[in-house]
Amino acid sequence: MTAVAAAVLLTFLPNTAQAEGSYPDPLPIAGQQIIHDPTVLRLKSGQYVAYSTGGVIGARLSKDLRNWTDAGNAFAEPPSWWYEYNGTGDPWAPDISYRAGRYWLYYAVSSWGTNHSATGVATSTSGLPGTWTDHGKVFTSERTDTWNAIDPALIQADGRLWMSFGSYWTGIRMVELNPRTGKAVEGATVHHLATRPDAPYAVEGPYIVKHGRHYYLFASYDACCAGVNSTYKIKVGRSTSVTGPYTDSTGKPLLEGGGDLLLEGHGRYAGTGGQSVFRDRGQDWLAYHYYDAEDAGTPKLGLNRLHWTENGWPNVA
């Protein structure tokens, strides 16, 4: 099949599920490729920045999305309150956005394997590493809660600010934020967006974008962080309301285990997940990590153009 014929076919695909072996390779990149749970944004300076799990929120910079350099960390050292959640002050899964004249960086700190967790927020006028001012906790969870306050991602909808989050512990949740402080509204309702019927409810890392009249929830399913043995894959559902209910292309609710498969491991690219979506000059991109089977399972940056079918479903091919 020619590339043109494939593109025409994908326009009319009914949903995001793709035939085995049809996944495209990520964009070829050079330089510093090692990354985990990437969040990517084109700054007003014209540079691209990618923040990630690792270090004190590891940073990468690029001028063209293809050549990346190591730019150190968002913070020189962990804010003291992080140590309430783990002994190393180790942050996870950041999310960068721009709003109200500032860049906002959300992240998670947690005890491994528990839901003694918190999301935090920092701001910067440039978005560059070393320029962030931390503002403390946004939202927390404890062992008595049925959710886990990690893997934050922001979206604005109908003049309100929302944060999706969640990992295992009944899956994906959402709370409303105060747009002035960037923190959870006092007494905010915790909305439930997605889960699985089977323990341990292995769905995490939500990211929501709006396209047309729908909101699209992207999430990572199955097991992360095991190198080439990782089974991470990315699924998606949609809703006409940011708080749900979300369904897949067959109409199955994501609260009942639904979700269209968008991308999974293939060839050397094992365990694709930890995803985010960013828009650059009219084009949507999917950013994620994969474990390179040809490099001892090293986690690396994956970037693919995100296309939309005529009936409004995303596709990476």
Side-chain angles (χ1 to χ4, degrees):
M1 182 182 293
T2 68
V4 171
V8 171
L9 174 61
L10 286 169
T11 298
F12 294 99
L13 283 176
N15 56 54
T16 62
Q18 294 177 248
E20 183 178 355
S22 69
Y23 300 108
D25 293 345
L27 182 77
I29 64 173
Q32 178 54 274
Q33 302 179 44
I34 299 173
I35 208 164
H36 209 276
D37 305 322
T39 178
V40 179
L41 191 67
R42 186 169 184 261
L43 303 175
K44 292 194 176 296
S45 65
Q47 292 187 94
Y48 297 90
V49 65
Y51 288 105
S52 66
T53 297
V56 195
I57 307 181
R60 315 280 184 265
L61 291 173
S62 175
K63 294 180 180 179
D64 57 8
L65 283 183
R66 292 178 177 269
N67 298 281
W68 292 86
T69 58
D70 189 336
N73 299 286
F75 299 97
E77 58 184 39
S80 59
W81 71 266
W82 292 6
Y83 292 99
E84 297 174 34
Y85 293 92
N86 61 61
T88 57
D90 185 27
W92 304 343
D95 173 62
I96 187 174
S97 58
Y98 184 80
R99 179 177 59 83
R102 291 189 289 175
Y103 294 93
W104 299 72
L105 188 66
Y106 286 75
Y107 56 83
V109 287
S110 180
S111 301
W112 183 260
T114 82
N115 61 337
H116 174 55
S117 312
T119 55
V121 64
T123 58
S124 165
T125 56
S126 71
L128 292 170
T131 68
W132 294 94
T133 299
D134 191 64
H135 301 290
K137 300 175 188 179
V138 172
F139 190 72
T140 65
S141 60
E142 296 300 338
R143 293 173 178 86
T144 53
D145 291 319
T146 57
W147 57 79
N148 193 8
I150 72 168
D151 295 357
L154 263 64
I155 182 170
Q156 296 185 77
D158 301 322
R160 298 164 73 179
L161 186 64
W162 302 89
M163 182 181 75
S164 58
F165 64 91
S167 171
Y168 292 66
W169 276 274
T170 72
I172 306 306
R173 302 282 181 152
M174 172 177 272
V175 293
E176 186 176 2
L177 304 184
N178 180 321
R180 182 181 60 81
T181 64
K183 298 184 178 184
V185 171
E186 187 174 353
T189 299
V190 181
H191 300 274
H192 201 184
L193 307 186
T195 190
R196 300 174 69 163
D198 53 321
Y201 316 109
V203 52
E204 58 188 2
Y207 200 92
I208 297 174
V209 298
K210 190 176 185 183
H211 179 80
R213 67 187 187 92
H214 287 98
Y215 296 92
Y216 291 80
L217 169 59
F218 299 79
S220 296
Y221 284 63
D222 295 330
C224 166
C225 313
V228 295
N229 295 317
S230 301
T231 56
Y232 242 15
K233 56 181 66 71
I234 302 169
K235 293 188 178 184
V236 63
R238 73 183 185 185
S239 173
T240 54
S241 169
V242 73
T243 56
Y246 287 84
T247 60
D248 64 22
S249 62
T250 71
K252 186 174 183 178
L254 267 61
L255 282 170
E256 297 176 11
D260 285 340
L261 184 59
L262 179 71
L263 183 65
E264 66 178 340
H266 56 285
R268 69 185 291 180
Y269 309 103
T272 54
Q275 75 293 321
S276 60
V277 177
F278 67 99
R279 189 165 182 80
D280 179 34
R281 292 174 285 193
Q283 172 67 52
D284 291 320
W285 289 84
L286 180 73
Y288 56 94
H289 68 251
Y290 66 89
Y291 301 93
D292 191 344
E294 296 183 8
D295 188 14
T298 300
K300 295 183 179 180
L301 176 62
L303 295 170
N304 286 89
R305 290 180 183 269
L306 195 63
H307 302 283
W308 299 89
T309 64
E310 255 192 7
N311 54 2
W313 287 97
N315 200 294
V316 293

